[in-house]
Amino acid sequence: SSNSGSSCTPSTPPPSEKKPGRFSSFLKKKQSPRSVLDPLNEHNDESIIPSSSGLGSALVALVSKEEEEQEENNKGYSHLRNAAAVTMSSNQHVKNRAIFILKEEILTSSTHNPTDMKDNNSTGTSASNNYSSSSSSKGKKKNPLSPIIYLNNQGVDAFQSQQFELSMRLFLDAHRLYKTRRTISLSGIVTENDVVDDYDDNYDYDSESSTFCPSNVSISNIPSTNSYIYQRLEFDEGMHTYSQPERIPESTTPSATGAEYEFVEATLWYNMGQLYCQSNSLEQAMSCLDYAEERFDFYNTLTATTNIPDAKATTTSTSSFSSTTTATQLIGHAILQSIGQVYYRLGELQNAIKQYNKALTLSKLTFGILHFTTASAYNSLGVLYYHLHSNNEQSAPDNASDLARSYAERALSIRKKVLSQNHADIGTVYNNIGRLYVLNDEFTKALKSYENALKIRKEALGKDSLDYAATAFNAGQSYHQINDRDRALELYHEFLRVGVKHFTKNHRDVAVVLSGIAQIHQERKEYDQALKLYEESFEASRNALGESHPEVAMILNRIGNFHFEREDYDAAYDAYSKGLAVEQKVLEKNHGNVIVTLSNLGEIHRQRGEWDDAIKVFKSV
């Protein structure tokens, strides 16, 4: 009935891990030469891009002197010399980015400040060693992951402030820097080519507007109007436990195994995948998340997953990993459940179920039963089996409805134990359970769940929340089924009150609610009001979904019923015929809706005394 509601161009992995052609289906490399340096963003945000007056000139002199003294290691500094020269550019965006790279590469990565470089090099330390993790340098050893973590976490901040292009740019920069640092950790040497390759990307740069846009991200790449989730991603079914990029704890440092590098790369791929999910670029999102899963699996191989965090410490929060240990475990669950969600949005329900089962197994092994990740996996499996059953999927098992309810009830039980009494996630599960009772026409039981969901969602989210409105819609339908028209009408209008604030009237669920209100007026013999609302519903549905959609046909069938009841057989026949034409385009020949519409047309022929036509239609039925 209703619901509860650039491009990610892969930075080249180490040769032994590279997968040729993995992105070839949707990424095409630019052939034009690219500068080593690009502007980061049109905004000179000092909190993101540090700058320093006169730093460029000083570094040019410094690097030139170092190259003279260390001729054999010239390549190790030539990209920095170029970067330093660019800091004197008149283009402020280029200047800021160059300063950023210089500060991170020289001031942060070196194990001492620039004034120490001359002394250190004069004693025989090569330029390349200044980038290595060796302990031969003077001073306190720096964390080579720090600038990567910094860029990633700035990308998370940009995402949260809805600066999505900037967020992608920062994640890509973090991954390029990761590649260099990972190479150094393995070989101890960095060359000019390492850095140049890092900036051979797939971003289109508009020099006039100074903006970056991943060339393969299509904001219009939205689900088909025939998809169940079209115009319904706004509602929460509990499938979005992990839907935002994640921070990397600043305490993350490389160990002897190098496993932390794999954790960092897994997080970066995961974060880029979330950006693609945000733009509904699901193919790209899946590729990023697949890479993230691969790197996390390698992390587990290196660590043998021996350090399991205390479940009690992480049962109530899903945001901002609080410790390195917790983060490294939770990122695995975030990756698996996000892959499942992408499959769900693609309509591949069986693949989604496999992924969430994998996530459930990992969560129980890692954290046990009483943990929010376990509850999230149970709830998501319940939602998926609900859709298998309600959509009459051929692949649905006979007990899909029972499985859905079993998973949802387990999720509810866990959430009641690990969350506060009126937590929004508990309201979400109550709403989902109500939908499951409706599948079996158990409307009284459904209303008990819906009323619990309404109370919790109103308190936790507010009466203007879309999720509160979605539950009002669902409860209204159940009250309508048990002929409590006054309460049904009240809840339908409550949905409209909230819905029109968030949507236009051209929304599929607005159309369904208008149709439901029209039915109540029809049942009360208030025909003028009913007809007006049916017409509004039809227009809203057609504008939201197009001419050829099953829900448009459903509303036409209701309009036909309205005219049939009033014995206006010509108007009824016209509405039924238009509905049948739509159904024959979009549904199977023997679909139940087609059979019902044909039966209605046959009945009109019979009422008119058109016996031959009636017999012909009924035979086809």
Side-chain angles (χ1 to χ4, degrees):
S1 57
S2 100
N3 42 298
S4 65
S6 252
S7 66
C8 191
T9 308
S11 301
T12 312
S16 61
E17 301 163 10
K18 185 174 180 180
K19 290 190 171 183
R22 187 180 181 102
F23 278 66
S24 59
S25 63
F26 68 93
L27 297 182
K28 295 181 180 179
K29 280 285 188 179
K30 295 287 184 183
Q31 298 302 314
S32 57
R34 303 291 294 174
S35 169
V36 171
L37 297 168
D38 291 320
L40 182 62
N41 188 269
E42 62 179 326
H43 304 293
N44 297 322
D45 186 346
E46 294 299 325
S47 67
I48 295 176
I49 311 172
S51 62
S52 177
S53 176
L55 178 63
S57 298
L59 287 174
V60 168
L62 171 66
V63 174
S64 297
K65 186 168 183 59
E66 291 299 323
E67 287 180 341
E68 291 174 5
E69 295 180 358
Q70 297 293 332
E71 185 65 26
E72 69 277 14
N73 290 308
N74 184 50
K75 285 188 175 182
Y77 274 114
S78 59
H79 69 287
L80 294 180
R81 179 197 60 213
N82 295 337
V86 173
T87 62
M88 294 181 288
S89 167
S90 61
N91 186 318
Q92 185 62 39
H93 311 299
V94 174
K95 184 185 298 185
N96 281 345
R97 184 167 175 75
I99 290 170
F100 175 82
I101 292 173
L102 285 162
K103 280 191 171 183
E104 291 301 322
E105 289 295 324
I106 295 180
L107 307 185
T108 303
S109 299
S110 299
T111 57
H112 41 272
N113 62 49
T115 58
D116 293 333
M117 295 173 85
K118 178 181 177 181
D119 295 337
N120 205 46
N121 275 340
S122 65
T123 58
T125 303
S126 69
S128 61
N129 284 340
N130 285 322
Y131 293 89
S132 73
S133 59
S134 70
S135 58
S136 61
S137 303
K138 296 180 181 179
K140 184 178 179 181
K141 184 178 179 181
K142 299 291 184 178
N143 178 8
L145 292 176
S146 290
I148 302 168
I149 295 170
Y150 169 78
L151 285 168
N152 176 82
N153 294 349
Q154 289 291 335
V156 174
D157 289 341
F159 182 96
Q160 292 173 348
S161 61
Q162 298 188 338
Q163 299 179 65
F164 300 124
E165 293 176 3
L166 173 60
S167 181
M168 179 62 87
R169 180 80 255 184
L170 287 162
F171 291 144
L172 285 168
D173 279 351
H175 195 261
R176 294 183 182 103
L177 188 54
Y178 161 84
K179 273 181 49 187
T180 301
R181 296 294 165 88
R182 185 56 172 149
T183 301
I184 297 164
S185 75
L186 296 173
S187 67
I189 299 173
V190 64
T191 69
E192 178 181 14
N193 289 334
D194 292 327
V195 179
V196 172
D197 288 345
D198 283 349
Y199 286 90
D200 180 16
D201 55 41
N202 194 36
Y203 268 77
D204 291 329
Y205 174 60
D206 184 343
S207 59
E208 293 183 2
S209 62
S210 297
T211 59
F212 281 95
C213 182
S215 58
N216 282 286
V217 173
S218 174
I219 302 299
S220 62
N221 183 17
I222 57 178
S224 163
T225 56
N226 285 319
S227 167
Y228 176 83
I229 63 171
Y230 175 72
Q231 287 194 337
R232 286 174 173 162
L233 290 175
E234 302 95 340
F235 303 105
D236 182 20
E237 297 177 290
M239 303 284 284
H240 298 280
T241 300
Y242 300 102
S243 59
Q244 294 195 357
E246 291 291 351
R247 297 180 181 279
I248 300 173
E250 295 179 6
S251 58
T252 305
T253 55
S255 64
T257 65
E260 289 72 17
Y261 281 99
E262 306 305 324
F263 158 65
V264 167
E265 187 177 20
T267 304
L268 291 171
W269 280 119
Y270 167 80
N271 288 348
M272 288 187 280
Q274 289 299 339
L275 268 168
Y276 280 116
C277 286
Q278 177 70 28
S279 68
N280 290 310
S281 301
L282 300 182
E283 182 183 358
Q284 291 93 327
M286 184 67 81
S287 293
C288 289
L289 292 169
D290 280 345
Y291 259 108
E293 183 181 12
E294 177 185 289
R295 302 327 302 161
F296 183 74
D297 286 346
F298 191 43
Y299 164 82
N300 276 336
T301 300
L302 293 174
T303 61
T305 323
T306 55
N307 195 6
I308 304 299
D310 182 3
K312 293 181 180 179
T314 55
T315 56
T316 60
S317 174
T318 62
S319 63
S320 299
F321 298 148
S322 58
S323 70
T324 303
T325 301
T326 301
T328 54
Q329 295 303 323
L330 285 180
I331 193 63
H333 299 280
I335 292 165
L336 293 175
Q337 293 201 30
S338 295
I339 293 173
Q341 189 205 59
V342 172
Y343 275 129
Y344 167 54
R345 290 169 65 174
L346 289 169
E348 299 180 30
L349 300 185
Q350 289 291 358
N351 283 331
I353 287 172
K354 290 178 183 178
Q355 199 67 29
Y356 277 107
N357 271 319
K358 187 176 179 180
L360 176 63
T361 300
L362 179 62
S363 184
K364 289 193 291 187
L365 176 66
T366 306
F367 299 112
I369 296 294
L370 297 180
H371 194 268
F372 72 84
T373 58
T374 306
S376 174
Y378 273 131
N379 176 75
S380 297
L381 286 166
V383 170
L384 292 167
Y385 278 108
Y386 162 79
H387 288 304
L388 276 179
H389 183 83
S390 63
N391 295 345
N392 297 312
E393 297 277 347
Q394 292 183 349
S395 60
D398 294 337
N399 64 337
S401 178
D402 293 335
L403 285 171
R405 188 180 302 179
S406 173
Y407 285 129
E409 288 173 349
R410 292 183 202 178
L412 179 62
S413 175
I414 295 169
R415 284 181 170 173
K416 281 183 172 181
K417 293 175 181 177
V418 303
L419 300 175
S420 60
Q421 184 177 1
N422 291 321
H423 194 283
D425 288 349
I426 295 176
T428 297
V429 184
Y430 271 126
N431 187 78
N432 292 344
I433 291 174
R435 297 190 307 172
L436 292 167
Y437 281 122
V438 168
L439 283 180
N440 296 324
D441 296 333
E442 299 176 85
F443 299 110
T444 302
K445 291 182 178 179
L447 284 169
K448 183 177 179 181
S449 290
Y450 285 145
E451 290 291 356
N452 283 332
L454 272 174
K455 179 181 178 182
I456 292 172
R457 285 183 155 182
K458 185 176 183 180
E459 181 175 329
L461 305 172
K463 63 180 183 179
D464 290 332
S465 160
L466 273 176
D467 294 320
Y468 163 75
T471 301
F473 177 11
N474 293 341
Q477 289 185 315
S478 290
Y479 277 114
H480 195 174
Q481 289 291 333
I482 63 173
N483 294 317
D484 188 342
R485 298 187 182 95
D486 290 340
R487 178 61 171 157
L489 203 57
E490 177 187 352
L491 290 169
Y492 282 154
H493 280 293
E494 187 70 350
F495 174 84
L496 284 180
R497 179 188 66 79
V498 179
V500 295
K501 289 182 180 180
H502 293 270
F503 317 126
T504 65
K505 272 197 171 183
N506 298 328
H507 189 280
R508 72 189 302 177
D509 287 330
V510 171
V512 173
V513 171
L514 288 170
S515 176
I517 295 173
Q519 278 188 301
I520 291 177
H521 286 295
Q522 179 183 344
E523 291 162 5
R524 291 176 169 176
K525 311 300 182 183
E526 298 165 351
Y527 294 118
D528 289 343
Q529 285 179 278
L531 182 57
K532 179 182 178 182
L533 287 163
Y534 277 131
E535 289 171 348
E536 287 183 29
S537 173
F538 174 67
E539 286 300 315
S541 180
R542 185 172 61 177
N543 290 337
L545 303 170
E547 298 283 348
S548 301
H549 193 280
E551 289 177 27
V552 174
M554 176 197 73
I555 293 173
L556 285 168
N557 193 65
R558 288 184 177 181
I559 293 173
N561 292 343
F562 170 83
H563 290 300
F564 186 92
E565 181 181 318
R566 303 200 68 193
E567 298 183 357
D568 185 349
Y569 296 128
D570 289 343
Y573 194 89
D574 181 62
Y576 287 143
S577 296
K578 289 178 179 177
L580 180 64
V582 173
E583 289 168 345
Q584 289 176 333
K585 283 183 179 180
V586 298
L587 299 175
E588 295 178 357
K589 184 177 181 180
N590 62 346
H591 192 280
N593 291 1
V594 175
I595 293 171
V596 169
T597 306
L598 282 170
S599 298
N600 292 340
L601 289 168
E603 182 61 23
I604 290 177
H605 285 301
R606 192 180 72 82
Q607 291 290 336
R608 289 171 170 175
E610 299 166 352
W611 310 115
D612 291 341
D613 289 335
I615 289 172
K616 182 179 179 181
V617 172
F618 285 132
K619 280 186 175 180
S620 69
V621 171

